[in-house]
Amino acid sequence: MIRRGLIITFLLLINFGFSQEKNEVEKRVKKNEVPETALEWLKDAYEKKRRTKWYFQTDGEEEVFEAKLKHKRHLHSIEFNMRGVVQNIEVLIKEKEIDEDVYEVILSYLKETYTKYSLSKIQIQYTGQPDDLEDLIDENELENLKISYEIEYYGKTETKDELWEGLFDHSGRLLNKRIVKIKNTDNLDY
Amino acid sequence: MKYIYLIAILFLCLNLKAQNDRFIFGFFPEASLKYNISEKYSITHKVESQHGLFDSNRLNDELQYEHSLTDLQSFIGRRLTPFLKADIGYQYRVEEGENTHRTIQQVSILQRGSFYRIGHRVRIDQTYFQEESTLHRARYRIKGQIPLQGRELDPGENYLAISNELIYMIQSSEDDLENRLTAAYGFYIDDKNKIEIGLDYRTDDYLVKDRFRHRLWFKFGYYKSL
């Protein structure tokens, strides 16, 4: 009896649980699913053959391809549109690698806004034309590129205590921020 | 599905040794329901149940169904930071012989990697018996969760969950150790619905002479949050 009761309980629980919300998707794709233009640009810019992982991403509206690879000991994420045209490059950097003046501006914002904070993930984002982005990688040139910083940080105020993702411009001024929603931890806690 | 085979083989290998020890196999369904009562506080109810199918202590090696126990748990938790949560809980255990009460205190820490998540759980609990003295346990569990499609776990995708827990227990100056190793294939339906199917391999009576025990549970877990 107990066993039958349990099975029924499980079935009921599962039944009322299935209401799929599916908008954000990021999945691994094979190289041959990526537009030729993207592969060619990547080959020209990064030259040497290297291990590249390809992903398809969508937030429900915009769809992009993303290549992830290591270059000069940094993790690069290169975003392409669906036609294979490069859009931007994000490079994962350490706190001390941010330009000193920019870092000061970012820190002063955090000090003013939060009683406690810590930076967890910093990416410098370069946006521009394919040729200019290529020059950044193979010639280290910054000409015509827009620079911004995407920073994930923990910030505590008197009333709020959250993980944030802030976008800062080339000089370190905050452009916008959003709360990073942490996924449920019920399966890790109980 | 190949992961499930992999997990099964791993556990079979672990079981090949020590034929003389006591070995138990069975089913272990569990389900939890979590809901927030305010921005910081949440309530979690959990039911878990062990159903034995095989016990090497029985005279003939036949499969025989036996309801081992059912636990009913409730927790109230407070999120201290996005990565830190403290809970107090109560458990009522339905078991042959004597039903028991247990009080639980725990702290869980979330560690986020570039693509994986690790949950650390430190828990102490006290089990109360009518005749015997209180059983005290201190336990630490580490559980990792790795997405199997891409770097982010998105709705409809699957993950691998591996955990190990070490438990130290003491009851009127007699102490013992237990270890619980689990591996599960997870279905992330969405953030409010997760299913984990896998194996839970428990060994205990480490410190008791000539009484080492293995228990292998086929686990089915459903995590629901409102």
Side-chain angles (χ1 to χ4, degrees):
Chain A
M1 251 345 261
I2 294 177
R3 189 166 41 162
R4 185 175 299 166
L6 270 170
I7 291 169
I8 292 169
T9 315
F10 273 111
L11 290 176
L12 281 175
L13 274 170
I14 289 169
N15 220 356
F16 88 86
F18 278 85
S19 54
Q20 282 215 14
E21 246 178 77
K22 198 170 179 176
N23 36 35
E24 254 181 61
V25 174
E26 175 255 26
K27 62 172 188 188
R28 196 70 196 268
V29 291
K30 294 205 177 73
K31 199 176 161 185
N32 58 20
E33 295 173 63
V34 178
E36 197 58 38
T37 326
L39 297 175
E40 266 166 28
W41 183 88
L42 201 78
K43 214 170 122 194
D44 288 346
Y46 288 88
E47 288 162 1
K48 266 199 317 226
K49 258 202 167 175
R50 61 188 79 229
R51 234 170 80 94
T52 308
K53 287 180 181 167
W54 286 94
Y55 299 87
F56 166 80
Q57 260 182 33
T58 177
D59 54 8
E61 287 168 20
E62 199 189 8
E63 295 182 326
V64 297
F65 283 110
E66 201 173 75
K68 283 188 196 284
L69 54 86
K70 267 212 165 146
H71 178 67
K72 291 181 182 163
R73 294 158 109 191
H74 285 86
L75 186 72
H76 287 222
S77 305
I78 307 111
E79 197 179 288
F80 301 87
N81 67 15
M82 294 307 277
R83 286 180 287 117
V85 181
V86 64
Q87 305 292 297
N88 64 59
I89 299 172
E90 283 177 349
V91 183
L92 191 68
I93 57 170
K94 297 249 158 58
E95 221 166 308
K96 56 177 187 289
E97 291 177 284
I98 307 178
D99 186 274
E100 233 173 83
D101 301 334
V102 180
Y103 190 52
E104 282 302 313
V105 181
I106 294 172
L107 278 196
S108 67
Y109 164 77
L110 295 173
K111 274 179 196 154
E112 270 168 35
T113 321
Y114 305 99
T115 53
K116 214 171 139 187
Y117 62 86
S118 64
L119 308 188
S120 61
K121 187 180 166 196
I122 307 158
Q123 290 193 98
I124 179 164
Q125 189 186 71
Y126 304 94
T127 312
Q129 293 303 313
D131 289 347
D132 296 321
L133 285 169
E134 191 184 320
D135 290 346
L136 166 76
I137 301 305
D138 56 17
E139 278 156 42
N140 231 345
E141 257 185 43
L142 285 172
E143 222 179 333
N144 299 328
L145 291 179
K146 197 182 107 198
I147 294 176
S148 52
Y149 296 86
E150 195 182 278
I151 302 178
E152 197 179 88
Y153 63 91
Y154 162 67
K156 187 182 173 168
T157 63
E158 296 296 326
T159 52
K160 272 216 175 296
D161 194 357
E162 304 279 6
L163 187 69
W164 298 91
E165 187 185 277
L167 188 67
F168 298 84
D169 74 3
H170 65 98
S171 60
R173 270 185 315 231
L174 182 78
L175 296 171
N176 59 61
K177 63 175 178 182
R178 64 179 186 96
I179 291 175
V180 178
K181 196 171 173 281
I182 291 181
K183 291 189 170 115
N184 260 319
T185 56
D186 46 2
N187 65 326
L188 300 176
D189 298 343
Y190 305 101
Chain B
M1 280 331 247
K2 63 182 177 202
Y3 291 97
I4 290 180
Y5 291 123
L6 206 71
I7 293 164
I9 289 166
L10 183 80
F11 279 98
L12 277 175
C13 293
L14 282 169
N15 267 304
L16 286 175
K17 65 171 194 84
Q19 293 293 322
N20 294 326
D21 304 335
R22 187 173 180 193
F23 175 69
I24 294 168
F25 174 78
F27 287 107
F28 193 152
E30 58 179 15
S32 86
L33 174 70
K34 179 195 155 234
Y35 50 91
N36 293 331
I37 45 172
S38 75
E39 204 181 324
K40 294 230 182 281
Y41 287 91
S42 62
I43 303 273
T44 307
H45 302 292
K46 190 173 180 188
V47 50
E48 54 183 37
S49 191
Q50 295 178 355
H51 305 269
L53 285 180
F54 176 83
D55 187 340
S56 62
N57 260 20
R58 281 201 285 264
L59 287 176
N60 45 359
D61 282 352
E62 280 175 9
L63 290 180
Q64 190 190 332
Y65 172 75
E66 181 188 49
H67 170 249
S68 310
L69 54 88
T70 296
D71 289 338
L72 304 166
Q73 303 176 334
S74 286
F75 295 89
I76 176 159
R78 184 178 199 271
R79 195 156 276 296
L80 304 166
T81 78
F83 313 107
L84 189 64
K85 193 170 175 240
D87 277 87
I88 50 169
Y90 163 78
Q91 172 189 290
Y92 185 67
R93 168 168 289 183
V94 183
E95 193 175 15
E96 204 183 280
E98 181 187 350
N99 292 353
T100 55
H101 302 274
R102 177 180 289 168
T103 44
I104 303 164
Q105 302 83 42
Q106 74 172 47
V107 172
S108 33
I109 300 157
L110 174 68
Q111 186 188 339
R112 294 161 68 249
S114 51
F115 61 97
Y116 57 88
R117 300 206 298 176
I118 293 175
H120 303 270
R121 184 180 83 184
V122 179
R123 184 185 265 195
I124 49 171
D125 62 40
Q126 305 80 36
T127 315
Y128 309 97
F129 302 90
Q130 265 163 20
E131 303 282 324
E132 291 161 66
S133 51
T134 308
L135 167 72
H136 293 271
R137 304 195 303 173
R139 28 205 291 200
Y140 166 68
R141 185 176 82 176
I142 180 166
K143 182 169 180 179
Q145 187 184 325
I146 307 157
L148 293 175
Q149 290 95 16
R151 298 168 62 89
E152 275 281 321
L153 190 56
D154 300 307
E157 294 184 346
N158 306 332
Y159 61 95
L160 199 63
I162 294 168
S163 80
N164 195 65
E165 182 170 29
L166 190 64
I167 304 172
Y168 174 77
M169 58 192 97
I170 184 157
Q171 185 176 27
S172 53
S173 80
E174 274 181 42
D175 60 352
D176 193 20
L177 285 173
E178 177 173 343
N179 191 72
R180 296 176 177 177
L181 175 67
T182 77
Y185 191 86
F187 299 86
Y188 184 78
I189 300 158
D190 54 40
D191 203 36
K192 295 189 149 99
N193 298 282
K194 284 187 283 287
I195 289 173
E196 288 185 6
I197 296 172
L199 291 169
D200 182 331
Y201 176 61
R202 300 183 171 185
T203 42
D204 64 354
D205 291 339
Y206 277 86
L207 307 180
V208 183
K209 222 181 158 203
D210 300 327
R211 222 179 64 190
F212 196 65
R213 183 170 70 154
H214 309 257
R215 285 180 292 172
L216 183 65
W217 299 105
F218 180 78
K219 223 169 185 178
F220 178 94
Y222 179 48
Y223 298 90
K224 168 82 192 164
S225 89
L226 299 178

